[in-house]
Amino acid sequence: MTMVFSLLGRGDLGLIRAGMTRDQSRVTLGGKFDEFFKTEDSAVPTDAYDDLGVHMYFDESFIVVGVEFLKWSELVWGDQKLVGEDALVIQRFLKSRGQTLVFNNSGFDVVDMGLKFYVPDFEEDDAIVEAVYVELYRA
């Protein structure tokens, strides 16, 4: 099953929006998921939809606070796929949209849009965006 997630604006992925509850996200995404604790000190489990390549993160009130898209997922902005693609292509696309990129040791962030791009080999010419974390906040 393929589900396409469109970045429509900060905190808005179309199907998933800021302020959604865990139950609402589970109904929206359907299918099979596994709960797991991302780190030892996680207070709330993460929902992993491995078929979709999506991890859903929640706060202590079980409100969606973020979504991680793995490289086989379908996260798009307009007609550009943002994950599983060449990192340089994605960087050029984001800059063409007027976004400022902040680089770190594991990739880069687009602070204005709440995006964190995980590119472990970003110093390589053929680096691929392995994952994108999208921060969601209540509107």
Side-chain angles (χ1 to χ4, degrees), residues 40-78:
E40 286 183 23
D41 60 348
S42 294
V44 177
T46 297
D47 285 356
Y49 293 84
D50 290 333
D51 290 350
L52 299 175
V54 172
H55 290 173
M56 302 294 296
Y57 294 83
F58 311 97
D59 66 12
E60 292 79 12
S61 301
F62 297 100
I63 299 297
V64 177
V65 294
V67 185
E68 182 179 21
F69 293 91
L70 307 176
K71 68 181 175 183
W72 63 91
S73 65
E74 293 292 328
L75 172 63
V76 298
W77 188 356

Side-chain angles (χ1 to χ4, degrees), residues 24 32 34 63 65 71 73 81 85 90 110 117 130:
Q24 289 170 326
K32 184 174 167 256
D34 293 310
I63 299 297
V65 294
K71 68 181 175 183
S73 65
K81 189 172 180 207
E85 299 293 313
I90 300 303
V110 180
F117 289 80
E130 297 288 331

Side-chain angles (χ1 to χ4, degrees), residues 24-38:
Q24 289 170 326
S25 72
R26 287 177 172 177
V27 168
T28 299
L29 297 177
K32 184 174 167 256
F33 65 90
D34 293 310
E35 280 188 10
F36 73 101
F37 288 93
K38 193 76 169 184

